[in-house]
Amino acid sequence: MDASALLADTRIVPVVVISDIDTAIPLALTLRDAGILAIEITLRTPQALRALECISREVPELLPGVGSVRQPEQFAQAREAGARFAVSPGTTPTLLQAAGTARMPYLPGAATASEILHLLEAGYRLQKFFPAEQLGGIRMLKALGAPLPEARFCPTGGLHAGLVPAYLGCPQVACVGGSWFIPAEALAAGDYARIGELATAAVALASTA
Ligand code: 3PG
């Protein structure tokens, strides 16, 4: 299921790695208070599913999503934990089938014209363009988007605040993803004031783009 409708109001998707479960709720509250609408908890740590459970229960204003999905069974596990959308860095036929079976809105990754075409054929208009900066950034995105005007993107990977207006100014870009406003050292230190400042600045940039 294409995630365009579910993420229609979302301009920034925070890509979050939770290593300490005690940081999940304070981080989610900080992002919510900054005006962030959705959160992608990546399946890169053993705490990820528990963090999803806690956030979806305690911070219902944030749309909870699961990221770094690499195995078909992770859709059902994440749904059970409260995820309402799923994200992968790339995709495979197995993952597309599993997303469909789980009826989970899915933001699959693409990096080439062929991958974008394959996802369009499968019904996925909104795609994660990953890793955006390393692939060539806005120039690459515009070059790929020109002959593929049906596709919409969530560029993610290597973004920082200075790039947000230019990315969101591209007609092909629906939203951007990243972790630049959640520095790992700030999260580890419990510096939610810093994260809140950076997230508020990100939201402000997105609202003027
Ligand atoms: C992802 O999984 O989407 C990326 O790791 C996010 O990229 P960033 O950390 O460079 O923003």
Side-chain angles (χ1 to χ4, degrees):
M1 288 168 71
D2 181 47
S4 303
L6 185 69
L7 297 177
D9 296 330
T10 302
R11 298 287 271 164
I12 301 182
V13 180
V15 178
V16 170
V17 179
I18 297 287
S19 303
D20 173 357
I21 192 68
D22 292 340
T23 64
I25 296 295
L27 174 64
L29 291 171
T30 302
L31 295 175
R32 178 201 67 183
D33 292 348
I36 294 281
L37 302 178
I39 185 168
E40 175 189 330
I41 307 289
T42 58
L43 293 177
R44 297 185 205 171
T45 62
Q47 293 78 11
L49 288 175
R50 180 125 176 268
L52 257 171
E53 254 170 45
C54 297
I55 291 170
S56 57
R57 192 179 55 235
E58 307 284 334
V59 193
E61 304 87 356
L62 270 185
L63 180 68
V66 63
S68 307
V69 172
R70 306 176 303 287
Q71 292 152 13
E73 61 274 16
Q74 291 175 327
F75 288 96
Q77 291 165 354
R79 172 182 288 293
E80 185 79 6
R84 293 184 50 210
F85 69 98
V87 187
S88 294
T91 196
T92 67
T94 311
L95 290 175
L96 289 178
Q97 194 181 11
T101 303
R103 300 196 59 74
M104 177 80 95
Y106 185 34
L107 182 59
T112 66
S114 296
E115 290 172 7
I116 295 166
L117 278 168
H118 175 69
L119 287 175
L120 286 172
E121 276 182 12
Y124 290 90
R125 184 166 182 251
L126 181 62
Q127 307 177 7
K128 170 168 171 159
F129 180 61
F130 178 80
E133 277 300 293
Q134 293 84 346
L135 286 169
I138 291 165
R139 282 186 67 221
M140 176 71 163
L141 187 66
K142 284 188 171 164
L144 281 171
L148 301 164
E150 303 86 358
R152 289 287 173 275
F153 299 102
C154 178
T156 307
L159 270 63
H160 57 77
L163 293 168
V164 169
Y167 269 107
L168 286 177
C170 293
Q172 301 97 326
V173 172
C175 53
V176 294
S179 63
W180 77 91
F181 50 96
I182 311 163
E185 64 282 4
L187 189 58
D191 190 352
Y192 299 105
R194 174 90 186 117
I195 295 169
E197 272 168 29
L198 292 168
T200 302
V203 170
L205 281 170
S207 67
T208 54

